[in-house]
């Protein structure tokens, strides 16, 4: 049994839970962080001194933190070869795109765009900064668009952790109130993710509780 600490409205927790759902693994999850608190207690900090979510424990094993490390652990232990290839070269290609998505899409969206549009009160928003952030993000999404125009998934022909690192951001990207350029391959890819039950359950989650008020 997997145990997860982290609120379901955390995008990093959503990535982890989506992976668990795709792999069909039994789990229990505890709401921790944001309005639920609990991530600054001695017991939690003993598991993760950073005080961040998610944290995963597999049975009686040591706690694991950092989303990318957790995804690689689950993929290695429980994933099929198509999901996390055993061949080093093929697996490194998946890992390359997973790291790219985390560093170039997730980080350029979550703080500069999502936080600015959703988690910042309207009177405190800076349209110029948001426009600049969208330009930076757009350049990276153009890379994804080019890649997905010739591949069904980010790393190639199969669904992998690279898609989790990219795809868990796209629900928010396509639903927040921002301007978006037309990227048909990215849209096709996102529409396909919408058909995955684990994506609908764990990623397409309301973020209303995170919204700042005037």
């Amino acid at each position: 049994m997997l145990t997860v600490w982290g609120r379901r409205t955390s995008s990093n927790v959503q990535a982890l839970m989506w992976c668990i759902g795709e792999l069909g693994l039994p789990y229990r999850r505890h709401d921790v962080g944001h309005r639920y608190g609990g991530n600054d207690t001695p017991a939690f900090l003993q598991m993760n001194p950073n005080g961040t979510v998610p944290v995963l424990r597999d049975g009686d094993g040591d706690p694991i933190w950092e989303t990318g490390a957790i995804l690689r652990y689950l993929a290695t232990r429980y994933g099929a070869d198509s999901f996390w290839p055993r061949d080093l070269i093929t697996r490194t290609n998946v890992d390359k795109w997973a790291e790219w998505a985390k560093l170039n899409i997730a980080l350029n969206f979550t703080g500069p765009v999502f936080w600015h549009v959703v988690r910042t009160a309207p009177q405190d928003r800076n349209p110029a900064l948001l426009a600049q952030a969208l330009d930076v993000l757009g350049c990276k999404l153009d890379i994804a668009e080019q890649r997905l125009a010739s591949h069904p998934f980010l790393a190639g022909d199969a669904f992998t952790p690279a898609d989790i690192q990219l795809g868990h951001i796209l629900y928010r990207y396509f639903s927040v109130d921002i301007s978006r350029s037309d990227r048909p391959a990215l849209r096709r890819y996102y529409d396909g993710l919408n058909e995955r039950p684990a994506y609908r359950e764990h990623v397409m989650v309301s973020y209303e509780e995170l919204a700042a008020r005037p």
Side-chain angles (χ1 to χ4, degrees), residues 42-170:
F44 187 87
L45 292 173
Q46 187 173 9
M47 292 192 299
N48 181 2
N50 301 288
T52 55
V53 297
V55 172
L56 173 82
R57 175 168 276 158
D58 188 356
D60 296 326
D62 291 337
I64 310 171
W65 37 270
E66 294 299 337
T67 307
I70 297 173
L71 294 180
R72 285 188 288 273
Y73 168 82
L74 292 175
T76 301
R77 182 159 189 182
Y78 299 108
D81 187 67
S82 59
F83 183 67
W84 189 241
R86 303 303 182 255
D87 174 72
L88 177 61
I89 301 301
T90 310
R91 185 174 68 247
T92 300
N93 180 63
V94 172
D95 203 20
K96 174 186 71 178
W97 282 107
E99 286 295 296
W100 176 84
K102 178 181 71 175
L103 295 173
N104 292 282
I105 304 300
L107 290 183
N108 280 317
F109 172 78
T110 301
V113 177
F114 182 78
W115 193 285
H116 195 96
V117 174
V118 175
R119 304 192 67 172
T120 301
Q123 67 272 17
D124 297 325
R125 295 171 191 164
N126 185 323
L129 283 179
L130 177 60
Q132 184 179 32
L134 287 172
D135 284 343
V136 171
L137 177 64
C139 290
K140 302 304 181 181
L141 287 174
D142 287 342
I143 297 173
E145 173 70 16
Q146 184 178 15
R147 178 71 177 171
L148 293 168
S150 56
H151 298 83
F153 297 101
L154 187 60
D157 293 332
F159 178 85
T160 70
D163 299 294
I164 291 177
Q165 290 284 28
L166 172 63
H168 83 279
I169 292 299
L170 294 183

